[in-house]
Amino acid sequence: MELGSILEFLKNRSILVTGATGFLAKIFIEKILRVQPNVKKLYLLLRAADNKSAMSRFNNELLAKDLFRVVKEQHGGNLNSFLSEKVRVVPGDITYDNLGVKDSDLLEEMWKEVDVVVNLAATTNFDERYDNSLKLNTMGAMHVLNFSKKCEKLKVLLHVSTAYVSGEKDGLILETPHNMGETLNGISGLDINAEKKLVDETIKQMSADNYSDDIIKSAMKNLGIQRARKFGWPNTYVFTKAMGEMLLGQLKENIPLVIVRPTIVTSTYKEPFPGWVEGIRTIDSLAVGYGKGRLPCFLGDPKTILDLVPADMVVNAMIASMVAHSNEANETIYHIGSSVSNPIELASLQDYGYRYFSKHPWINKEGKPVIVGKLKILDSMDSFQKYMAIHYLLPLKGLQIVNTACCQYFQGFYSDMSRKIKFVMRLIELYRPYIFSKGYYDDMNTEKLRRAVKESGAESDVFYFDPKIINWDEYFLNTHISGVVKYVFK
């Protein structure tokens, strides 16, 4: 694999980014603007009804973020003129044909100008409504592909998926495509059109029977989990992302296609500064739940390898892969993770949380520090259920009886205890497939890409994505947890 200058490739390019308000999208946009101000145009697709609301989202959900402070410092008083020249905010929605763009002149402009399409639009909720997840993660991918086919100058379509489309496989998981209709458990009958029809008919029938919106919402969530597990996937999110990949592979024709599959994405390692994060990432709910005293125990094998990767490394790999496969009419898949080259165990995460919050305790609403103890990790579902029953469920039942007898005198204590239990049970339900994972994500393609970047010259310092450089102790104790506390749980 030969790779020319990445910065030179980005110069005078027009790039369409879908899902522009997402976590990785923000970091991608910031990186391009910061390292290659001579990019021609960034077309940023935001879900919005019109230009005014799209511009409002851009200002409030992107530009106002601390993430862009370095770009703002670079341009000072010229920031607005720079952005007006380099950024075009596009109201739209990938769940529709032509990405929901209503301005015909703008459509024509993008079809003539866009060199690269980066699809980052998705819903990442594990238990999202099936209809929403299917529209965004599956059919949305197809709409982006169809739009890309109309771009006259298209060099590459980059689609961001997730490594967890592999489900709960053990052993070494390869960077291979998901073929149309292929299931993880070997059960036949997966048909994307049939899934869409099932969703439409279910909603139609429930609406005809006058079910409430809440009941329909709950039914759609349950249907997603049910369909996912029928074919071997643990949740609606990864199931619909896998089907999105299937459509891309089946319908791509001669489009150069790169599919990037990150593992668990964490805060920035270095750029534009260490520790920036937004939203509750997978492991962060555990860390902060523990720091707040809401997570007394958790289920999992302490030896389980957690596959983590900082967000700026994911973005650097995305940009490098765009350049590497420009004008190549094939499909290439990259796992972006650390489980092979720099693994970290679940037990280490437990230790980092204890060390960090012992030194920097969470201050509760009463202004008092929360004193944490070592998190108890239970290594089987049986031991977890017994522990919860003895230490929490039985005392909670007793407290409920006492509270009723005492005219709700202990209601505050009862509600607090109930919330803690529900919080733990919710996390277990969502993350159980991953906390006993025995899978490792092969990144041979990514390693080849890393070598190509390194051999291309000094730009390997700008577009770094080698997890071997991460010292996990230093990263978690001095960068990641403090970043989560600062930016997510202020």
Side-chain angles (χ1 to χ4, degrees):
M1 180 190 298
E2 291 186 6
L3 198 69
S5 167
I6 298 175
L7 291 173
E8 194 61 30
F9 175 88
L10 295 172
K11 188 176 180 180
N12 294 320
R13 296 293 183 199
S14 292
I15 304 171
L16 168 63
V17 182
T18 71
T21 59
F23 175 56
L24 281 176
K26 288 186 178 81
I27 297 171
F28 176 88
I29 293 162
E30 191 279 339
K31 176 83 176 192
I32 299 292
L33 293 174
R34 177 165 46 82
V35 303
Q36 185 45 286
N38 291 318
V39 66
K40 185 176 182 180
K41 187 79 74 177
L42 293 180
Y43 292 96
L44 308 183
L45 189 82
L46 293 89
R47 187 181 287 186
D50 51 40
N51 286 320
K52 183 179 179 181
S53 54
M55 201 66 206
S56 176
R57 289 197 69 191
F58 172 74
N59 287 325
N60 295 325
E61 298 179 41
L62 278 87
L63 205 54
K65 300 297 181 181
D66 194 37
L67 175 71
F68 287 88
R69 74 171 186 236
V70 177
V71 170
K72 291 175 183 176
E73 290 167 0
Q74 283 179 339
H75 295 279
N78 296 321
L79 178 68
N80 288 337
S81 60
F82 170 71
L83 291 176
S84 66
E85 178 188 352
K86 300 298 180 181
V87 174
R88 177 67 188 269
V89 175
V90 180
D93 188 334
I94 70 162
T95 64
Y96 296 97
D97 289 335
N98 292 333
L99 308 185
V101 179
K102 299 170 185 175
D103 186 333
S104 57
D105 291 337
L106 178 55
L107 274 175
E108 292 292 337
E109 177 187 324
M110 288 194 289
W111 288 334
K112 288 180 181 177
E113 296 295 330
V114 167
D115 300 289
V116 177
V117 176
V118 180
N119 183 32
L120 280 151
T123 173
T124 59
N125 292 338
F126 282 15
D127 60 347
E128 177 64 85
R129 291 176 54 138
Y130 192 30
D131 52 338
N132 290 346
S133 199
L134 202 60
K135 283 178 183 176
L136 273 165
N137 296 346
T138 305
M139 307 313 294
M142 183 185 72
H143 291 143
V144 173
L145 174 64
N146 290 339
F147 186 94
S148 301
K149 290 178 178 179
K150 297 177 183 178
C151 296
E152 299 170 11
K153 296 165 57 180
L154 187 77
K155 300 286 188 290
V156 64
L157 164 59
L158 174 71
H159 174 75
V160 179
S161 185
T162 169
Y164 299 102
V165 291
S166 62
E168 301 172 73
K169 288 183 181 177
D170 292 344
L172 189 65
I173 301 164
L174 304 179
E175 295 163 299
T176 51
H178 282 284
N179 298 317
M180 182 61 75
E182 187 177 69
T183 63
L184 297 185
N185 57 12
I187 290 179
S188 61
L190 174 57
D191 182 310
I192 294 173
N193 288 327
E195 293 301 306
K196 187 174 181 298
K197 185 178 179 181
L198 173 63
V199 165
D200 293 342
E201 290 181 347
T202 302
I203 292 178
K204 183 179 179 181
Q205 185 60 56
M206 294 188 76
S207 298
D209 293 338
N210 293 318
Y211 284 102
S212 69
D213 290 343
D214 285 344
I215 291 177
I216 294 175
K217 177 181 178 181
S218 179
M220 281 295 106
K221 285 190 172 188
N222 291 335
L223 182 62
I225 295 290
Q226 174 195 328
R227 300 304 291 177
R229 291 178 178 171
K230 176 178 179 178
F231 296 113
W233 281 270
N235 57 59
T236 308
Y237 166 55
V238 293
F239 178 43
T240 53
K241 290 295 283 186
M243 288 191 288
E245 286 194 22
M246 291 176 194
L247 283 175
L248 291 175
Q250 178 84 359
L251 303 174
K252 68 174 286 299
E253 297 175 350
N254 63 347
I255 292 289
L257 174 64
V258 174
I259 295 178
V260 168
R261 294 176 181 162
T263 54
I264 299 173
V265 182
T266 57
S267 63
T268 54
Y269 174 72
K270 184 165 68 174
E271 286 187 276
F273 45 84
W276 190 81
V277 69
E278 184 179 56
I280 302 175
R281 318 318 306 162
T282 309
I283 60 168
D284 301 336
S285 52
L286 306 181
V288 177
Y290 166 72
K292 288 183 174 183
R294 295 168 58 194
L295 195 67
C297 67
F298 200 69
L299 173 68
D301 181 351
K303 294 294 184 181
T304 290
I305 298 298
L306 295 174
D307 202 313
L308 312 175
V309 58
D312 48 339
M313 290 193 178
V314 177
V315 165
N316 288 337
M318 287 166 55
I319 296 171
S321 69
M322 282 166 25
V323 181
H325 300 285
S326 173
N327 293 320
E328 288 186 3
N330 53 22
E331 176 182 358
T332 310
I333 294 171
Y334 289 101
H335 283 157
I336 314 297
S338 61
S339 56
V340 170
S341 53
N342 191 5
I344 177 174
E345 294 182 346
L346 179 62
S348 296
L349 197 64
Q350 171 196 19
D351 179 57
Y352 298 145
Y354 176 72
R355 289 162 64 186
Y356 180 86
F357 286 108
S358 293
K359 189 174 181 180
H360 310 282
W362 185 272
I363 306 300
N364 64 20
K365 291 179 181 178
E366 287 74 41
K368 297 178 181 178
V370 176
I371 307 302
V372 296
K374 285 233 171 185
L375 181 67
K376 184 173 183 63
I377 296 182
L378 301 157
D379 60 7
S380 73
M381 197 64 194
D382 185 54
S383 62
F384 173 77
Q385 289 171 338
K386 286 179 181 177
Y387 183 90
M388 290 298 292
I390 294 170
H391 292 85
Y392 294 96
L393 297 177
L394 287 175
L396 183 68
K397 188 65 177 176
L399 181 59
Q400 183 183 28
I401 295 169
V402 172
N403 187 43
T404 302
C406 297
C407 301
Q408 310 301 313
Y409 183 80
F410 299 103
Q411 184 60 37
F413 184 50
Y414 172 79
S415 296
D416 184 57
M417 190 172 181
S418 180
R419 273 196 303 272
K420 286 182 180 180
I421 293 171
K422 287 179 181 177
F423 179 79
V424 173
M425 299 306 289
R426 164 76 170 163
L427 293 180
I428 292 298
E429 175 65 23
L430 291 180
Y431 301 138
R432 181 166 50 182
Y434 309 105
I435 52 185
F436 289 107
S437 172
K438 302 298 180 186
Y440 301 84
Y441 289 95
D442 173 57
D443 62 347
M444 187 57 69
N445 288 344
T446 309
E447 178 60 26
K448 291 176 183 175
L449 184 64
R450 278 193 285 266
R451 290 175 185 171
V453 172
K454 188 174 183 180
E455 290 167 4
S456 70
E459 288 182 4
S460 59
D461 293 334
V462 181
F463 298 99
Y464 55 89
F465 52 99
D466 188 348
K468 291 190 289 293
I469 68 174
I470 303 171
N471 179 315
W472 290 117
D473 285 44
E474 186 171 321
Y475 172 72
F476 269 95
L477 294 173
N478 299 326
T479 299
H480 180 70
I481 301 178
S482 57
V484 170
V485 170
K486 178 179 179 179
Y487 291 108
V488 183
F489 295 91
K490 296 176 182 178

